[in-house]
DNA sequence: GTTCCGATTATCT
DNA sequence: GATAATCGGAACT
């Protein structure tokens, strides 16, 4: 028998995604928990690092035109956009802006809070089934280093959370198994704003946000 | 059909 | 810091 979805009461509703612009959401999502109530178990982590990708922004996948890859970005706010990068990893975005407008918030790092063991199992499984040269690697989530390395990067957190392009691209955060738990808004002083990571266009735009002093961000 | 390159990661130096 | 791993998608011809 299927378990009921847990903690639906704190799931962020559609209106929240609709009522804020992309950069505001990128800030507001910090401190909230990303949750995946999957068949294997529930995993969750506090969002500690985000990036905004906007219309007219050359680094945005939707900058040029709608394509099969970026189609989810043009969906309604609160949709998931999952894309493959470097042919090894996937990154997860929360689609923002009105339907027909291609904007999104990239989730770059989580501080794990629930399902730590499952995260470790998934990350080790990815090693085992990944490149031959990495097959003997392991992550021990009971050690400080292993714990810290579970979700401190956009490709890592997708693995740890059990998110896949096939299953979750186009998924709704307001009705699906992946959702965000609301949190109290953080004071501006807790949020650091910088330029984005790993891009070649729009490199000077200050669209990256992370929690000040947090040890789980991808780079600091 | 062909070319070019990437919103990364883990490892080694 | 530098580099290998390694191939799908976008933008060309």
């Amino acid at each position: 028998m299927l378990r009921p979805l847990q903690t639906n009461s704190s799931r962020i509703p559609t209106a929240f995604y609709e009522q804020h612009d992309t950069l505001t959401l990128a800030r507001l999502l910090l401190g909230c928990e990303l949750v995946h109530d999957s068949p294997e178990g529930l995993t969750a982590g506090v969002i500690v690092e985000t990036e905004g990708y906007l219309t007219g922004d050359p680094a945005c996948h939707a900058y040029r035109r709608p394509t099969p890859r970026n189609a989810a970005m043009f969906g309604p706010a609160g949709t998931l956009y999952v894309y493959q990068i470097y042919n090894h990893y996937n990154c997860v975005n929360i689609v923002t802006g009105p339907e027909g407008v291609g904007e999104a918030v990239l989730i770059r790092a989580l501080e794990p809070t629930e399902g730590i063991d499952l995260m470790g199992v998934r990350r080790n499984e990815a090693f085992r089934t990944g490149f031959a040269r990495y097959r003997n690697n392991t992550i021990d989530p009971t050690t400080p280093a292993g714990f810290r390395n579970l979700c401190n990067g956009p490709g890592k957190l997708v693995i740890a959370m059990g998110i896949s392009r096939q299953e979750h691209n186009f998924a709704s955060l307001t009705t699906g198994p992946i959702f965000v738990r609301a949190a109290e808004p953080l004071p501006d002083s807790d949020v650091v704003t910088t330029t984005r990571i790993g891009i070649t266009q729009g490199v000077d735009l200050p669209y990256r946000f992370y929690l000040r002093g947090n040890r789980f961000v991808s780079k600091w």
Side-chain angles (χ1 to χ4, degrees):
Chain A
M1 180 188 288
L2 292 174
R3 290 173 304 119
L5 287 177
Q6 296 184 20
T7 61
N8 246 334
S9 59
S10 56
R11 178 192 290 250
I12 288 181
T14 306
F16 179 85
Y17 300 107
E18 293 174 343
Q19 286 169 0
H20 301 285
D21 65 37
T22 300
L23 294 181
T24 302
L25 279 169
R27 285 191 212 88
L28 289 176
L29 285 166
L30 293 176
C32 297
E33 267 182 304
L34 183 67
V35 183
H36 185 190
D37 191 4
S38 79
E40 303 85 46
L42 187 145
T43 50
V46 175
I47 298 169
V48 299
E49 180 181 350
T50 61
E51 285 178 357
Y53 288 86
L54 277 61
T55 296
D57 161 15
C60 180
H61 285 176
Y63 180 59
R64 296 184 186 280
R65 73 189 65 153
T67 67
R69 178 172 73 143
N70 66 24
M73 292 190 80
F74 294 89
T79 299
L80 285 177
Y81 168 47
V82 185
Y83 70 92
Q84 188 178 26
I85 187 170
Y86 299 112
N87 297 302
H88 294 284
Y89 301 99
N90 291 295
C91 295
V92 63
N93 295 250
I94 295 175
V95 174
T96 55
E99 193 159 6
V101 173
E103 303 199 353
V105 173
L106 171 68
I107 308 299
R108 283 195 57 90
L110 302 175
E111 178 170 343
T113 52
E114 291 187 54
I116 312 295
D117 292 344
L118 178 54
M119 288 185 180
V121 168
R122 284 171 172 155
R123 293 270 281 121
N124 285 327
E125 177 71 3
F127 272 131
R128 197 180 65 71
T129 59
F131 293 148
R133 66 178 296 206
Y134 294 143
R135 270 181 200 155
N136 293 325
N137 288 13
T138 55
I139 286 181
D140 180 356
T142 65
T143 64
F147 183 63
R148 192 174 175 180
N149 281 320
L150 285 173
C151 295
N152 61 341
K156 296 175 181 182
L157 74 88
V158 163
I159 293 169
M161 292 289 285
I163 297 170
S164 72
R165 189 160 58 111
Q166 191 171 13
E167 291 177 273
H168 303 117
N169 193 26
F170 294 103
S172 167
L173 283 167
T174 52
T175 60
I178 299 173
F179 58 97
V180 182
R181 283 181 186 149
E184 289 297 316
L186 296 165
D188 284 346
S189 58
D190 285 0
V191 178
V192 181
T193 303
T194 71
T195 55
R196 295 170 294 183
I197 291 178
I199 55 171
T200 56
Q201 304 284 314
V203 294
D204 294 327
L205 296 171
Y207 294 169
R208 172 171 174 253
F209 309 95
Y210 65 92
L211 293 187
R212 185 181 303 281
N214 187 280
R215 295 173 305 164
F216 295 86
V217 300
S218 62
K219 293 181 181 175
W220 62 93

